[in-house]
Every structure is written in structure tokens, then in C-alpha cells.
Amino acid sequence: MKILAVDHTRCTGCRLCEIACSLHHDGVANPAAARLAIVRWEEEGLHVPAVCQQCDVAMCELVCQPHAIRRNPATAALVVNYELCIGCRMCVIGCPYGAMSVHPLGRPVLKCNLCDGEPRCVQFCETGALQYLEPQAVSFAKRSATARKLIGGES
């Protein structure tokens, strides 16, 4: 199963990922309705995409009393069943990464579902800050960058 990988060093803060996400899910260009968020430190010029980690042991799923959050076996994404969701927002409180939020347009909560295996945020990320990769590819890239730093090269 692929994972949504973030390379914050490539993020320019353009927010196209947020717009693509909200357009895909809600038909509006509204970053506040996106299932991911660009965390910004303007003075430092830092932008970091905050995305759902689709945790193996997911607090959002564990704290959901009506069991409205379940894993999609095809994508391994944790998905909200809005017919079961009672809007208690315990999942928002329980997420250790702040990857869930309250929906500004009516649905109770916002949660990335990986767009059923074709994340729109990745498709519109021109810099490659967001990628949808096999976990082994992410590990290899990080090992390679670390090894390069150890021998004194650039990462």
C-alpha cells in the first residue's frame, strides 16, 4: 500500500494541493475545506504540508464511538462514514498530528481518504513536495540522503 510522503524542503506554500483537494471533495476552491493543510511560518519562509498519516494504530478510529472511521482495504486509508458520524469531533482531538479538522461547509469533520488511491494533492504538487509512494521508496530515499550526509556530500 502506498503512503502520502512529504518533503517539506520542496514545498513553496503555493497551496495548490489544498485547492485541488477541496475542489475534488466539495466542488469549491477553499483551502479551509481541504483534507490537508499547509502550515506556514512566513517570517522564516517555511511551509510544511500537514497530512493524515493513515496510522496503523489510529487514534481517530479508536476514539470514534459510533465506529464511523474505518480502513478502506483497497487503499489502506482511514475513511469517515458520514452516515454514522455524530459530529462529536473526538477524532479531531485524538489525532496526534492535527491532520483532522472541522469542516467549514457543513460536514462534521475533514479527513484525508487518499482520494480512493489517486490523491489529487499529489497530482497538483508541481514541486514534488507531496508524493504517493510505496513505503520502501520513502525509506530508501531517506537512507540514501542520510548516507550522503555522512560522507560529506549534499543530500
Side-chain angles (χ1 to χ4, degrees), residues 28-51:
V28 296
N30 181 351
R35 276 70 177 162
L36 74 160
I38 303 300
V39 179
R40 302 157 62 122
W41 291 271
E42 293 295 343
E43 289 184 23
E44 293 87 358
L46 293 174
H47 309 96
V48 178
V51 301

Side-chain angles (χ1 to χ4, degrees), residues 136-153:
Q136 297 84 356
V138 176
S139 296
F140 178 78
K142 290 187 178 205
R143 281 193 299 262
S144 178
T146 300
R148 198 174 299 266
K149 285 179 186 175
L150 289 174
I151 62 171

Side-chain angles (χ1 to χ4, degrees), residues 35-91:
R35 276 70 177 162
L36 74 160
I38 303 300
V39 179
R40 302 157 62 122
W41 291 271
E42 293 295 343
E43 289 184 23
E44 293 87 358
L46 293 174
H47 309 96
V48 178
V51 301
C52 177
Q53 301 299 305
Q54 311 295 342
C55 303
D56 285 342
V57 179
M59 291 306 295
C60 61
E61 182 182 28
L62 293 174
V63 300
C64 184
Q65 290 299 308
H67 305 289
I69 298 177
R70 294 285 185 186
R71 193 167 305 275
N72 177 334
T75 63
L78 291 156
V79 178
V80 177
N81 179 337
Y82 289 103
E83 292 181 15
L84 297 176
C85 178
I86 60 173
C88 67
R89 299 175 178 89
M90 291 301 292
C91 54

Side-chain angles (χ1 to χ4, degrees), residues 119-137:
R120 298 309 188 276
C121 56
V122 171
Q123 294 173 10
F124 284 86
C125 183
E126 295 180 355
T127 63
L130 295 172
Q131 296 183 27
Y132 192 51
L133 303 169
E134 296 292 336
Q136 297 84 356

